[in-house]
Amino acid sequence: TDVEAAHQRALAAEALVKVGYLRRLVGRAKTNAAVDWAARAVRVGEPVVIFAEHQAVIERLSNSLKQQRLRHVIIDGSTPKRKRQSLVDQFQMGHVPVFLGSKAACTGITLTRARHLLFCEYFWTSAELDQGEDRIRRIGQRFPTKMWYLHATGTIDDRIARIIERKRRL
């Protein structure tokens, strides 16, 4: 019946909201580890790229980077198109050692100054992760690259990693 169908849709929507909430919680919990990783890399002269999905996670990463006095640029969905290339250039020319981005920064930009990229949060599909990886694996990259995935065992990260792996096999 229509009532049963509406009930099922409501339950599915509720489950999706809960998953999103758990993902944000776990992402926020991983920010200190991500910033510690970035600080260690920058101290030894390695510029780094960090990707996260949720705005709350990006804001927390940025605040923690500021506390560590790590200069960085951010490209997310709110960054005006006309400003994006300037931010990329700041990173590529060595004016800032950390590039922080959301999925909005995962296509169409070159970040070959870095050879290390950290995903603080998983994106939903392997294709989205591959797009992010391709920002540092581009023509002009002169060094081997290393991708890092910050994974919180025993959390929603386990389930998302399994989903991504299943999609990757397809």
Side-chain angles (χ1 to χ4, degrees), residues 5-152:
H7 178 71
Q8 288 303 316
R9 284 193 305 276
L11 287 176
E14 181 182 2
L16 210 52
V17 168
K18 287 178 181 177
V19 167
Y21 177 72
L22 289 173
R23 290 182 68 219
R24 282 190 304 280
L25 275 180
V26 170
R28 286 175 51 107
K30 294 189 287 185
T31 56
N32 288 341
V35 170
D36 287 346
W37 173 86
R40 282 194 303 275
V42 169
R43 271 199 271 334
V44 298
E46 289 287 342
V48 297
V49 174
I50 303 173
F51 282 126
E53 183 162 1
H54 294 97
Q55 194 60 40
V57 175
I58 291 170
E59 288 172 10
R60 190 171 176 131
L61 285 165
S62 179
N63 290 335
S64 296
L65 288 166
K66 287 174 189 168
Q67 287 176 351
Q68 293 269 346
R69 293 187 173 87
L70 288 173
R71 291 184 13 248
H72 61 284
V73 293
I74 301 171
I75 292 182
D76 61 18
S78 69
T79 307
K81 288 195 186 299
R82 65 186 180 282
K83 188 176 179 190
R84 290 174 187 242
Q85 191 57 50
S86 167
L87 296 172
V88 169
D89 292 345
Q90 287 180 54
F91 178 76
Q92 286 289 90
M93 291 189 284
H95 300 306
V96 295
V98 180
F99 179 94
L100 180 57
S102 72
K103 276 197 282 192
C106 284
T107 57
I109 63 173
T110 298
L111 301 170
T112 51
R113 182 165 167 258
R115 52 183 171 168
H116 294 275
L117 183 147
L118 174 74
F119 286 96
C120 186
E121 296 180 275
Y122 287 103
F123 297 147
W124 272 116
T125 68
S126 59
E128 291 170 326
L129 295 170
D130 292 345
Q131 277 293 325
E133 290 178 4
D134 288 345
R135 298 312 93 211
I136 71 170
R137 288 185 173 156
R138 297 181 70 72
I139 293 172
Q141 178 57 267
R142 298 173 299 152
F143 302 103
T145 57
K146 181 79 173 175
M147 306 304 150
W148 304 84
Y149 292 85
L150 204 49
H151 184 97

